[in-house]
């Protein structure tokens, strides 16, 4: 079943995420495709996350699709102007890729090529507008396409924005993204369920499926690092303590992720698991959460 | 010298829809020389506004709006009219609009687009406040430019990367969109955030061919071409 079908059937959707390596070795993509097969509805492929140069999302999505998975092509506005964005999107459609996640993209200075020229010709709201336009059979300039795509566009939201202004800005932008055609949202990692519930109450009127982000915690140190450095991530002290006390850290991390998923099941329409190196533990997380097929 | 041109009248009237009492500000520096913001142009715009049913409660032309101290002292002398205004219409470059917006707690609308001169500046010493984009959007953003204040130059809101109000790319810099949010909140215009701004025409940011062909712009000797 595809992500679109799962969400349209109002089934609790599960998506995973992979970040390709720097280089041409695609063996891990094939390995993960096998591991995820039948266990998740779709798999996101990041677009050079954190502005670190890697193998492209488009190629990796194609490889996943060949293995029978439904890929989600992540597209950022960081590296491509409107010509490249449109051309890459048409290329994706020609390869049968339907899900596209529109993002702004981290600033180049955060990555391993800080000398790069930032592009941001469009922003994420304009990118969604553009995807809807391609779906209608026209490019940005108004020229008719010979063969049109049928993308299922999605977007992201950060429900843990740390200032009142940042939170309001996230909500207004989310509203604009829906107006410009976003059919689903994947969120920044959620740990604080009370704050997430408050967020869900404020956006439920939009009527768009929300997949809550899950990043399994590998160690207390990682949790602290995310609290310090990742915008919108707030791991409560109680969870950090649990990780500190645990003798089997991997097991505890999987357990915490599974507990979060169980709680989230009643709040939103799915979960998006960003394992960041722990992809092979995703089946264990799903099993412990009671979601495994 | 920084070059500006009057925005189309329909665009100006469009964003003045909810503002009836207007304070007009011109600039006797570059804007007057551009034919957009001197006393003569202010009078013409005032006449036009009044014909459209608007009330002009104040009107002044200041020597170089980018000299921000001057803006405050000149407007202080007209505080009664300033208070009576629903909004300001500023006939000047993007820096002039932002200077007035920073001085008064009122919506400040740009009456002009700032045209690219490819880096030739007025009294203002840099590109960090106005990119001369040729299609000013300061009326949507509370007089704070999203192209220059947001590191990524995003037009439709914050990227979500800010932490404690600081930019993800430079922690010494405020998130431009949070500044815009606070300004719009002060002005009671948060609804502006809901407006979708379409992709910009970046070709308007290039200096015109006519300008590039002038001898002023050239470094090469004519015989070496």
């Amino acid at each position: 079943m595809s992500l679109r079908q799962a969400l349209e059937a109002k089934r609790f959707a599960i998506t995973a995420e992979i970040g390709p390596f720097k280089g041409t070795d695609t063996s891990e993509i094939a390995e993960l495709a096998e591991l995820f097969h039948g266990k998740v509805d779709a798999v996101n492929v990041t677009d050079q996350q954190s502005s670190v140069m890697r193998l492209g999302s488009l190629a990796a999505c194609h490889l996943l699709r060949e293995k029978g998975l439904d890929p989600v092509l992540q597209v950022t506005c960081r590296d491509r102007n409107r010509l490249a964005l449109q051309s890459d999107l048409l290329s994706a459609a020609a390869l049968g890729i339907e899900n596209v996640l529109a993002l702004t993209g981290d600033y180049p200075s955060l990555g391993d090529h800080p000398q790069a020229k930032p592009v941001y010709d469009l922003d994420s709201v304009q990118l969604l507008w553009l995807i809807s336009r391609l779906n209608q059979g026209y490019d940005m300039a108004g020229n008719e396409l010979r063969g049109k795509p049928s993308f299922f566009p999605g977007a992201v939201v950060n429900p843990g924005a740390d200032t009142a202004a940042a939170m309001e800005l996230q909500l207004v932008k989310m509203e604009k993204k829906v107006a410009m055609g976003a059919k689903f949202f994947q969120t920044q990692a959620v740990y604080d369920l009370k704050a997430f519930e408050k967020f869900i109450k404020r956006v439920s009127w939009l009527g768009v499926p929300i997949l809550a982000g899950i990043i399994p915690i590998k160690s207390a140190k990682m949790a602290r690092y995310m609290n310090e450095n990742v915008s919108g991530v707030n791991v409560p002290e109680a969870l950090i303590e649990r990780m500190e006390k645990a003798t089997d850290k991997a097991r505890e991390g999987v357990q915490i992720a599974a507990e979060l998923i169980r709680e989230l099941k009643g709040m939103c329409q799915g979960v998006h698991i960003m394992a960041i190196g722990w992809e092979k533990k995703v089946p264990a997380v799903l099993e412990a959460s009671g979601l495994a097929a | 010298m920084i070059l500006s041109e009057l925005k189309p009248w329909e665009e100006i009237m469009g964003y003045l829809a909810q503002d009836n009492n207007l304070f007009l500000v011109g600039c006797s520096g570059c804007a007057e020389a551009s034919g957009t913001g001197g006393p003569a142009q202010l009078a013409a715009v005032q006449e036009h506004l009044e014909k459209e049913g608007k009330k002009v409660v104040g009107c002044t032309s200041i020597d170089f709006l980018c000299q921000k101290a001057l803006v405050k002292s000149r407007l202080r002398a007209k505080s009664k009219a300033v208070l009576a205004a629903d909004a300001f219409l500023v006939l000047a470059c993007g820096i002039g609009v932002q200077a007035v917006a920073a001085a008064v707690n009122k919506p400040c609308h740009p009456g002009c687009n700032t045209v690219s001169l490819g880096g030739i500046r007025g009294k203002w010493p840099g590109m960090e406040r106005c990119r001369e984009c040729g299609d000013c959007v300061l009326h949507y953003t509370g007089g704070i430019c999203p192209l220059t204040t947001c590191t990524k130059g995003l037009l439709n809101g914050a990227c979500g990367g800010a932490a404690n109000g600081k930019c993800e790319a430079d922690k010494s810099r405020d998130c431009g969109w949070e500044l815009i949010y606070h300004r719009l909140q002060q002005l009671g215009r948060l609804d502006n955030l809901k407006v979708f701004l379409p992709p910009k025409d970046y070709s308007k940011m290039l200096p015109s061919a006519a300008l590039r062909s002038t001898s002023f712009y050239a470094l090469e000797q004519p015989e070496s071409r």
Side-chain angles (χ1 to χ4, degrees):
Chain A
M1 204 190 248
S2 71
L3 177 63
R4 188 199 298 243
Q5 285 167 335
L7 292 175
E8 281 172 2
K10 302 204 183 299
R11 203 160 50 69
F12 194 73
I14 306 162
T15 55
E17 178 171 298
I18 62 171
F21 286 127
K22 191 191 283 289
T24 56
D25 181 356
T26 57
S27 56
E28 202 195 53
I29 296 173
E31 214 178 303
L32 290 175
E34 205 154 299
L35 188 75
F36 289 151
H37 201 274
K39 296 196 172 73
V40 299
D41 294 296
V43 179
N44 285 43
V45 184
T46 54
D47 179 6
Q48 309 187 73
Q49 76 266 29
S50 311
S51 304
V52 173
M53 194 286 293
R54 297 155 202 267
L55 178 82
S57 179
L58 182 55
C61 281
H62 174 65
L63 294 173
L64 288 176
R65 203 172 165 276
E66 278 194 322
K67 299 272 180 195
L69 287 154
D70 188 27
V72 181
L73 177 76
Q74 295 198 179
V75 179
T76 71
C77 299
R78 178 190 58 226
D79 310 314
R80 299 175 191 84
N81 68 7
R82 61 192 75 185
L83 283 160
L85 284 170
Q86 292 180 100
S87 178
D88 281 2
L89 284 166
L90 292 181
S91 302
L95 293 171
I97 296 160
E98 294 203 332
N99 311 309
V100 179
L101 192 77
L103 303 116
T104 305
D106 290 327
Y107 206 66
S109 61
L110 305 187
D112 65 350
H113 290 67
Q115 308 85 351
K117 185 176 186 184
V119 179
Y120 305 107
D121 186 16
L122 303 190
D123 63 29
S124 56
V125 181
Q126 293 163 346
L127 177 55
L128 286 160
W129 167 83
L130 162 64
I131 293 167
S132 299
R133 211 173 151 90
L134 293 174
N135 274 349
Q136 289 159 5
Y138 296 93
D139 73 3
M140 259 182 85
N143 304 306
E144 205 166 336
L145 303 175
R146 191 164 136 188
K148 61 180 183 183
S150 54
F151 288 123
F152 187 58
V156 297
V157 63
N158 186 351
D162 55 3
T163 67
M167 193 64 226
E168 296 306 313
L169 284 163
Q170 282 294 304
L171 295 172
V172 183
K173 198 164 184 183
M174 192 178 174
E175 197 180 327
K176 278 165 114 167
K177 286 175 174 176
V178 173
M180 289 302 137
K183 301 283 185 245
F184 67 94
F185 280 83
Q186 292 173 321
T187 78
Q188 178 60 284
V190 174
Y191 297 98
D192 184 343
L193 292 168
K194 274 201 184 120
F196 186 70
E197 195 173 16
K198 238 163 93 184
F199 163 79
I200 286 291
K201 278 190 181 145
R202 289 199 61 187
V203 298
S204 58
W205 69 276
L206 289 167
V208 58
I210 294 168
L211 281 66
I214 298 285
I215 299 180
I217 307 172
K218 295 175 194 166
S219 65
K221 195 177 152 202
M222 171 200 180
R224 290 223 169 82
Y225 178 85
M226 288 197 297
N227 280 354
E228 286 277 309
N229 298 294
V230 184
S231 172
V233 171
N234 177 25
V235 186
E237 202 49 45
L239 291 184
I240 299 179
E241 254 170 54
R242 264 180 69 180
M243 285 306 290
E244 244 158 20
K245 283 185 189 146
T247 41
D248 186 343
K249 311 274 183 207
R251 202 193 148 107
E252 192 71 7
V254 167
Q255 202 51 43
I256 290 173
E259 285 168 23
L260 286 168
I261 294 174
R262 274 204 295 271
E263 294 282 337
L264 287 163
K265 211 176 165 194
M267 291 186 203
C268 57
Q269 290 70 41
V271 283
H272 174 56
I273 306 170
M274 300 168 273
I276 324 179
W278 261 18
E279 283 76 15
K280 287 176 186 154
K281 292 198 187 343
V282 170
V285 170
L286 292 174
E287 205 156 303
S289 70
L291 281 180
Chain B
M1 174 72 186
I2 181 165
L3 190 65
S4 54
E5 61 185 20
L6 263 187
K7 275 183 174 290
W9 196 248
E10 305 75 57
E11 187 187 344
I12 295 178
M13 289 313 291
Y15 58 66
L16 291 181
Q18 52 179 328
D19 302 314
N20 291 314
N21 299 305
L22 301 169
F23 196 117
L24 282 180
V25 180
C27 172
S28 305
C30 312
E32 183 172 348
S34 300
T36 54
Q41 293 87 29
L42 281 175
V45 168
Q46 176 167 0
E47 197 187 319
H48 210 132
L49 287 170
E50 283 166 350
K51 234 185 257 165
E52 299 267 5
K54 302 286 184 191
K55 196 170 165 200
V56 176
V57 297
C59 181
T60 186
S61 181
I62 298 170
D63 293 340
F64 288 102
L65 285 177
C66 54
Q67 302 214 337
K68 50 197 173 184
L70 204 56
V71 177
K72 273 215 156 165
S73 64
R74 286 294 179 79
L75 290 177
R76 197 171 288 129
K78 296 176 182 279
S79 56
K80 223 171 142 187
V82 170
L83 288 171
D86 299 326
F88 278 60
L89 180 64
V90 185
L91 303 179
C93 70
I95 294 161
V97 180
Q98 294 181 77
V100 177
V104 298
N105 189 21
K106 301 270 180 183
C108 290
H109 304 299
C112 302
N113 289 324
T114 309
V115 180
S116 174
L117 285 182
I120 303 166
R121 311 300 304 174
K123 289 241 166 198
W124 192 257
M127 289 293 277
E128 82 281 10
R129 291 310 293 260
C130 177
R131 286 269 149 82
E132 304 175 336
C133 76
D135 189 11
C136 191
V137 296
L138 285 167
H139 40 295
Y140 290 114
T141 53
I144 296 174
C145 176
L147 279 190
T148 56
T149 322
C150 167
T151 308
K152 298 177 184 176
L154 304 179
L155 288 172
N156 283 291
C159 68
N164 296 315
K166 299 294 180 186
C167 176
E168 73 172 26
D170 179 356
K171 288 184 175 37
S172 69
R173 227 177 133 172
D174 289 326
C175 166
W177 274 98
E178 291 198 33
L179 296 178
I180 291 170
Y181 179 87
H182 289 304
R183 178 71 66 75
L184 289 175
Q185 190 177 36
Q186 273 174 10
L187 299 173
R189 298 265 164 122
L190 283 173
D191 274 356
N192 287 9
L193 293 172
K194 295 184 182 172
V195 177
F196 170 66
L197 295 182
K200 271 193 112 55
D201 178 353
Y202 283 102
S203 70
K204 288 184 181 168
M205 285 177 72
L206 302 171
S208 71
L211 175 79
R212 275 185 275 126
S213 68
T214 58
S215 56
F216 179 70
Y217 218 70
L219 284 173
E220 301 82 4
Q221 299 299 324
E223 57 270 25
S224 71
R225 286 199 187 169

